Amino acid sequence: MAIAADAGIPGFGEGDDLRAALDRSGGRIELPDLPGMTGWCFGALISGRLVGVLYACTPVDFVLSHRGEQRAWLGRSVVEIEIVAVEAGCRVGGAGTALLGHAERFLGERGVELFVAKGDAGDMPVMRWYRHRGYRVADAGQSCLLETPAGATSIDAGPAHDRRWRLAIKAPGKSVVRGVRGLRLEPNPSA
């Protein structure tokens, strides 16, 4: 797995053990059987030591459940934050926040409009962590309605009978609002 780094952001850099992977792919993980779908891996280093990793990718099953232009739009516009792992001793130092912020900026510059994270409904510290970073957290089992150029669809945290998971949603430039049936995106009134 490659680890992407950005020398222009404090806390991110190349580690000697990561140099070859960075040179080969820059953290981009192609999904060859799924054209247009990609994964990205980012790493945080403190004093040259890897202390955190974030992995984000196209939500493959969700995207493949659509067709045509809607599938294409979702494939390039929606990313799921799959893993954020930070060494215990570095969690209060902001490494996870820096990783998430870097991933959002980097992927946003490449056309991503919606960031989705799924978490255990009972893991309140994780849900609170996302909320403090600008994510809107759905109630357990709720979905988020998306308007795409090809029509409306919704993303959820898993099968309807599996209420253990919750969505955390962030859509830069849009407001994520809570409705009766879950979350939905609306134009940002300040934009």
Side-chain angles (χ1 to χ4, degrees):
M1 181 179 295
I3 306 295
D6 185 331
I9 296 179
F12 291 84
E14 294 181 1
D16 292 339
D17 55 341
L18 304 175
R19 189 172 311 273
L22 284 166
D23 289 343
R24 263 193 329 275
S25 68
R28 185 179 175 137
I29 302 165
E30 293 293 332
L31 305 175
D33 294 334
L34 304 166
M37 297 189 207
T38 306
W40 294 91
C41 196
F42 303 91
L45 292 109
I46 296 177
S47 300
R49 187 170 61 82
L50 183 67
V51 297
V53 175
L54 182 146
Y55 175 68
C57 68
T58 304
V60 175
D61 289 339
F62 171 67
V63 172
L64 291 178
S65 70
H66 296 79
R67 301 204 180 289
E69 179 53 34
Q70 195 169 43
R71 178 185 283 185
W73 186 89
L74 292 167
R76 67 180 173 269
S77 303
V78 180
V79 165
E80 184 174 344
I81 308 296
E82 290 276 342
I83 298 169
V84 180
V86 176
E87 188 177 300
C90 299
R91 290 184 187 151
V92 295
T97 299
L99 270 170
L100 185 62
H102 175 70
E104 289 171 352
R105 283 187 302 280
F106 181 87
L107 295 168
E109 290 169 0
R110 284 150 184 81
V112 172
E113 297 182 31
L114 180 68
F115 297 90
V116 178
K118 296 176 184 176
D120 186 308
D123 194 343
M124 295 314 294
V126 168
M127 295 293 107
R128 193 170 26 256
W129 185 83
Y130 277 108
R131 194 172 55 249
H132 287 257
R133 280 137 194 95
Y135 284 70
R136 187 70 180 242
V137 177
D139 291 335
Q142 287 189 330
S143 62
C144 182
L145 180 66
L146 314 175
E147 290 292 337
T148 75
T153 188
S154 63
I155 187 168
D156 60 38
H161 65 276
D162 186 2
R163 301 263 182 215
R164 289 185 12 171
W165 301 100
R166 295 173 74 175
L167 288 176
I169 302 285
K170 187 173 187 178
K174 295 188 179 171
S175 294
V176 182
V177 298
R178 187 175 307 281
V180 175
R181 295 186 179 159
L183 303 178
R184 69 179 185 278
L185 304 181
E186 293 185 352
N188 193 340
S190 64

